Amino acid sequence: DFGLHLESERRLRQQLTDQMNFSIVAEELPLTSKGGTVSLTPTVTIPDLVGAVHHYLDELDATGQLFWHEENEEWVKVGGDHGGDLFKMSFQIINVQHPNSMRHIIPFLVFAAKDMPANLATTLQPFVEPIRQLKDKLWHGKSVKVLLFGDYEFQTTLYGLSGSSGVHPCPHCTITEADMQQPGATATSRSLGSLHTSHSSFVAAGTRLSEAHLVTPKLHLLESHVPDAMRQFRVGLGLLAE
C-alpha cells in the first residue's frame, strides 16, 4: 500500500509492476497544503528515470511498436498533471502509434498534494540530473529529445513565472500582456537561461496585478506557438499537450 488512497491506486501499482519491473520507492515527504500547512505526505517515485525510459524503449522496440519522426532521434515527453487529490509526473514515448494511450503514459512521481512551487521543488529536485542525463545519453545510437508537457498553470509554476497576472504571461516568449492585444506583435523566444533571469527579476521587483484580458495567455499560446510546434515536429494536435 503506497498510502495514496484512491480508486485507481491498484491499477497504478499494477501498471508500474507490469511495465517497468523497476524499484519503486514509497516515502513521506514534507509537502505544503493549500492552507500553507506542511505535513508528511505519501510520495511514490521510480528513482531510476533514465533506466525506466530506456527499458520501456527496449520493450517497445522488441515488439515492433516504435517508428521515427526523425531517423536518429527518439522523442520523450515529461510532464505533470494534477487530478483529484494527486499530482502525477509521467513520461510518454511519442514514437508510437497511440502515444496518449494509458499504456504509454508511465508515472514516475506521484504525491497527494497540489503542484505548488514548494512541493515541486521538494519532489522534483532528485529528477533534475536524471532528466539532464536522459537528453544527453544516447539510446542505441539515437539521441533523445525531451519535451515538457502540462497545462498552463503547471508550466508557469515549473518555470517560476507568475502566470496570467504577470507582465510577461507566456511561458514560451516575452510578449507583454499589452502587446498580446495588438495583432502582429512580436516577442523574443524564451530559453531556460532567460527564464531564470526573468524569475530573478520577478522576485526582485514583485508582482503586478493584470487587468482584464482580451487575448488570454492560452489563446496567445494557441495562436502564436502551437502552429510553429506543429510545423517543427510535423505532428498533429494529438501529440501536443495543453
Side-chain angles (χ1 to χ4, degrees):
D1 190 341
F2 293 160
L4 302 174
H5 301 292
L6 70 161
E7 182 178 351
S8 60
E9 178 185 350
R10 180 177 300 176
R11 183 175 63 175
L12 172 62
R13 284 187 291 168
Q14 189 62 49
Q15 179 184 0
L16 292 174
T17 300
D18 289 347
Q19 293 183 325
M20 303 314 304
N21 294 317
F22 267 88
S23 173
I24 300 172
V25 175
E27 58 186 334
E28 291 186 324
L29 296 178
L31 301 182
T32 305
S33 68
K34 291 182 67 175
T37 302
V38 178
S39 59
L40 292 177
T41 304
T43 305
V44 180
T45 63
I46 298 177
D48 186 6
L49 178 60
V50 177
V53 172
H54 286 187
H55 172 81
Y56 193 51
L57 283 170
D58 288 340
E59 291 289 321
L60 293 172
D61 191 34
T63 54
Q65 297 184 64
L66 290 177
F67 65 90
W68 312 106
H69 302 288
E70 298 288 345
E71 183 177 353
N72 292 310
E73 193 170 71
E74 175 59 59
W75 294 357
V76 178
K77 287 167 59 177
V78 175
D81 174 66
H82 187 276
D85 297 327
L86 294 180
F87 173 76
K88 298 177 288 294
M89 282 288 293
S90 308
F91 70 81
Q92 292 178 246
I93 307 301
I94 300 182
N95 303 62
V96 292
Q97 187 66 36
H98 301 290
N100 291 326
S101 169
M102 181 68 180
R103 69 179 183 275
H104 296 314
I105 303 175
I106 310 300
F108 62 89
L109 165 66
V110 182
F111 59 82
K114 285 286 292 181
D115 52 333
M116 55 185 59
N119 293 341
L120 291 180
T122 298
T123 57
L124 289 181
Q125 186 59 43
F127 292 102
V128 172
E129 185 57 30
I131 290 176
R132 183 178 292 114
Q133 293 175 3
L134 184 62
K135 71 181 184 63
D136 292 340
K137 188 176 181 180
L138 295 178
W139 173 77
H140 296 328
K142 297 181 183 294
S143 61
V144 176
K145 180 187 289 291
V146 179
L147 307 171
L148 176 73
F149 75 89
D151 61 20
Y152 175 76
E153 181 179 0
F154 171 73
Q155 290 193 38
T156 52
T157 300
L158 190 66
Y159 288 141
L161 302 175
S162 54
S164 58
S165 65
V167 178
H168 304 277
C170 177
H172 297 285
C173 75
T174 59
I175 194 167
T176 65
E177 176 198 353
D179 283 345
M180 283 171 53
Q181 316 307 320
Q182 306 300 321
T186 60
T188 304
S189 297
R190 293 189 189 270
S191 65
L192 290 178
S194 68
L195 283 166
H196 178 74
T197 301
S198 296
H199 180 254
S200 299
S201 300
F202 167 74
V203 171
T207 61
R208 181 182 72 84
L209 294 177
S210 64
E211 298 176 358
H213 295 289
L214 298 177
V215 176
T216 65
K218 287 187 178 182
L219 183 58
H220 164 74
L221 286 167
L222 182 62
E223 291 183 338
S224 299
H225 297 292
V226 169
D228 288 341
M230 292 174 67
R231 284 191 291 268
Q232 177 183 354
F233 298 119
R234 300 193 299 279
V235 298
L237 285 171
L239 294 183
L240 299 177
E242 181 182 2

